[in-house]
Amino acid sequence: MHKGINQYQQVGAAGAAFADPHRLIEMLLNGGIDRLAQARGAVLRGDRPAKLKLIGKALDIIGGLRGGLDLDRGGEIARNLDELYDYMQRRLVTANARDDVEILDEVSRLLAEIRDGWQAIPPEARNPGKETPTTASAQPE
């Protein structure tokens, strides 16, 4: 989990060190979507240095999300996410090489779909068996 915190702090989110694991993933997904929107603007403005920096940050965020997967315990869902994150990373390399905003939009939509699914997880399912009456929204460690 520390890798995810470090990754998010590198892309500019001050509260990452204090976020619970569920919130951290949400922050990473939102950060990726934000960086892609900014990269899109940089491509449209012809600002190559900003485009490179922002696509690089989006790649780093996706890499952090991918690196946080537990492929042994996560089963099919983790394997599918790993493949999807790999696809997104490859698409961003192509988008960078071609200045292709349509690919940036595609990857942004994919991240948004994952984020929406992540946000839909009910609090009681985020850390089964570890809730207490005083921590009704307990999160996984």
Side-chain angles (χ1 to χ4, degrees):
M1 188 50 63
H2 292 293
K3 182 177 181 179
I5 292 170
N6 291 338
Q7 188 59 53
Y8 202 76
Q9 288 175 331
Q10 288 176 9
V11 296
F18 303 105
D20 64 67
H22 191 271
R23 177 70 180 126
L24 179 61
I25 298 300
E26 183 179 14
M27 291 169 69
L28 285 167
L29 292 164
N30 285 331
I33 293 165
D34 290 346
R35 296 315 174 273
L36 291 172
Q38 293 168 350
R40 185 183 204 286
V43 169
L44 294 174
R45 289 189 312 276
D47 186 347
R48 184 168 173 77
K51 174 200 77 161
L52 293 170
K53 179 180 176 183
L54 292 161
I55 290 177
K57 286 184 177 189
L59 282 164
D60 288 345
I61 290 170
I62 293 169
L65 289 164
R66 191 174 181 200
L69 294 172
D70 185 340
L71 298 175
D72 293 327
R73 293 182 7 194
E76 185 178 355
I77 292 173
R79 286 188 299 278
N80 289 343
L81 281 170
D82 183 59
E83 290 176 15
L84 185 57
Y85 290 143
D86 176 64
Y87 171 79
M88 287 187 232
Q89 289 176 315
R90 288 184 284 116
R91 293 295 284 162
L92 288 179
V93 170
T94 301
N96 189 34
R98 297 181 185 167
D99 290 340
D100 191 327
V101 295
E102 290 179 16
I103 295 174
L104 296 176
D105 292 342
E106 173 194 7
V107 174
S108 184
R109 283 190 304 272
L110 290 169
L111 284 174
E113 286 182 37
I114 294 169
R115 181 204 52 209
D116 294 347
W118 188 254
Q119 290 174 333
I121 297 172
E124 61 275 8
R126 295 175 189 170
N127 193 12
K130 292 198 177 184
E131 273 190 46
T132 66
T134 58
T135 59
S137 63
Q139 304 299 316
E141 296 179 21

